[in-house]
Amino acid sequence: MGALHSTRHNARVRPFDELTKTGRVGRLRLLAIDALRDEFGIEPQRVSLLANHSFNTLFRAEQLDGEPLAVRVGEVRIHADRVEEVEARWLTAIRAETDLLVPTLLSDRKGDHVVAGTHESVPGRRYCSVMTWVHGRIVRDGFDHAIAGRLGAVQAVLHEQSSTYTPPEIPRGIIANQVVYFGNTSLLAGYRSAYGSLFVDAIERVQLVLDALWRSPPHRPHLLHGDCGPQNVMQRRGRLTPIDFQDLQFGFDVQDAAITINDLRRQYDDGTLIDAYLAGYRSVRQWPLDDPALELALGAGRRLNFINLGLNLQRPGLHEYIERHAASLAQWMGLATKSVVI
């Protein structure tokens, strides 16, 4: 199989914003090929789409020799600067100190783990990282009690490892002491809807909870996965592997646990799956989140971040997406204040 070419030429091409989703993916694939070749010194034999969701597009890059690679191409820059450097070093430590076969990030020619990739047919810069391959399938669709238990145990292993791991650097943007932390955070406060000041009021209420948590911390802060749910766990032969650590945070176990609990409640109707997840976590270490009010408040913060991310991405169906999360926020605010805020 011959080496790929990225079709660099000066011919007039259709503007990126006028392309279909498939057309945009095709252009991003060309950018990924160029980044692999020019920045990482890798000549891919075949590059194909893995996933296109949220703010990242993932490609599988086949090599002439060795395992395939995963290439992550960001649509918008919503993460803190240097988060990939923290991600790369933590993943290396996890592999060395646990039995989790997490992916590792490759460094480019300069020793960095993220590059601002460009291509003449794609406007702006797209931040690209290259990762080692993880075999298996995402567990989201086939999620059951056995997998839920293993998910809890995996997250507990991550918390146990990170509790003794000291990252070489802690960028300010990953410190989990603010309610909304992805992208342009002013968009949510400025959004107007039938719910009036709900979002601003909810941010203020969750921030009070976070401030109290950081004033009286349950332990020293450490790195957290930040999105450890069925959508970011692979399974092969019954073994689970967490992936996609780009949303990592620096904070407390209760925050990471609340994110996972919130996602499980949102994605599945069966509450016994959460019981299985809790049992799996407790098989490794003590469960950190026994305060129902704290769990609900941190879950509200998770929904506020979903809304803000939607406003940053501006995808079709945004209004309906916001309304779903807003209804849950309004219910939580009503429980918190004994009167529904609308």
Side-chain angles (χ1 to χ4, degrees):
M1 185 183 295
L4 295 175
H5 299 283
S6 65
T7 65
R8 295 173 174 167
H9 55 75
N10 295 319
R12 177 177 173 80
V13 294
R14 188 175 180 183
F16 187 84
D17 291 342
E18 296 179 7
L19 297 173
T20 63
K21 182 177 179 179
T22 301
R24 294 185 184 191
V25 167
R27 297 275 183 87
L28 293 175
R29 174 179 170 276
L30 300 180
L31 184 147
I33 293 170
D34 282 355
L36 283 165
R37 178 185 298 127
D38 299 341
E39 306 296 340
F40 291 90
I42 297 169
E43 190 68 51
Q45 298 300 298
R46 182 173 182 267
V47 176
S48 56
L49 177 67
L50 271 178
N52 175 239
H53 59 83
S54 192
F55 46 83
N56 283 328
T57 301
L58 296 175
F59 295 96
R60 174 187 172 113
E62 302 284 353
Q63 301 184 88
L64 182 60
D65 297 308
E67 291 278 294
L69 301 170
V71 185
R72 183 173 65 200
V73 180
E75 178 179 334
V76 294
R77 186 61 171 170
I78 67 168
H79 294 95
D81 289 339
R82 296 194 61 76
V83 68
E84 290 85 5
E85 302 308 317
V86 179
E87 178 187 16
R89 288 165 175 78
W90 188 26
L91 287 169
T92 298
I94 292 170
R95 282 189 71 102
E97 298 171 14
T98 75
D99 63 353
L100 298 177
L101 300 178
V102 295
T104 56
L105 270 65
L106 277 61
S107 56
D108 69 0
R109 297 181 190 273
K110 299 177 182 178
D112 297 324
H113 295 90
V114 62
V115 301
T118 61
H119 189 274
E120 62 182 6
S121 67
V122 179
R125 297 175 180 270
R126 307 295 167 119
Y127 289 85
C128 306
S129 295
V130 181
M131 293 160 281
T132 56
W133 190 254
V134 176
H135 292 278
R137 295 180 178 275
I138 295 290
V139 303
R140 177 171 48 199
D141 294 336
F143 198 69
D144 59 19
H145 292 81
I147 295 174
R150 291 197 292 272
L151 170 62
V154 163
Q155 189 176 40
V157 169
L158 286 177
H159 288 172
E160 196 66 24
Q161 186 277 337
S162 61
S163 69
T164 59
Y165 170 72
T166 301
E169 60 177 314
I170 304 171
R172 183 176 180 180
I174 72 169
I175 299 176
N177 59 1
Q178 299 295 318
V179 179
V180 182
Y181 43 82
F182 282 146
N184 182 353
T185 59
S186 67
L187 294 177
L188 195 150
Y191 182 77
R192 293 291 177 266
S193 74
Y195 287 92
S197 64
L198 170 67
F199 298 153
V200 173
D201 295 342
I203 290 173
E204 291 178 354
R205 188 172 295 278
V206 177
Q207 189 63 56
L208 290 174
V209 174
L210 285 180
D211 291 344
L213 180 63
W214 281 84
R215 279 196 306 270
S216 301
H219 53 76
R220 77 174 186 92
H222 56 69
L223 290 178
L224 313 168
H225 184 284
D227 196 13
C228 190
Q231 68 279 3
N232 282 323
V233 176
M234 304 282 287
Q235 177 176 226
R236 188 189 190 200
R237 297 172 182 171
R239 181 172 187 152
L240 300 191
T241 301
I243 61 171
D244 195 2
F245 284 66
Q246 194 181 24
D247 289 354
L248 62 81
Q249 298 176 302
F250 185 74
F252 308 107
D253 295 352
V254 292
Q255 295 173 278
D256 208 35
I259 287 173
T260 303
I261 287 286
N262 181 266
D263 286 359
L264 292 178
R265 292 194 195 283
R266 183 171 48 84
Q267 295 180 47
Y268 307 103
D269 294 330
D270 186 355
T272 62
L273 289 172
I274 294 178
D275 295 335
Y277 157 76
L278 295 176
Y281 191 102
R282 290 185 174 119
S283 71
V284 176
R285 72 197 303 259
Q286 182 177 349
W287 174 246
L289 187 56
D290 286 324
D291 182 347
L294 177 60
E295 177 190 320
L296 290 174
L298 295 175
R302 177 70 163 168
R303 289 188 179 276
L304 287 164
N305 275 286
F306 280 138
I307 296 171
N308 185 67
L309 179 60
L311 291 171
N312 275 267
L313 296 178
Q314 290 292 312
R315 295 283 176 78
L318 175 61
H319 176 73
E320 293 77 9
Y321 177 83
I322 290 177
E323 287 298 307
R324 288 197 302 273
H325 288 295
S328 294
L329 280 173
Q331 182 180 25
W332 171 72
M333 288 290 285
L335 291 172
T337 63
K338 304 303 182 182
S339 61
V340 176
V341 177
I342 59 173

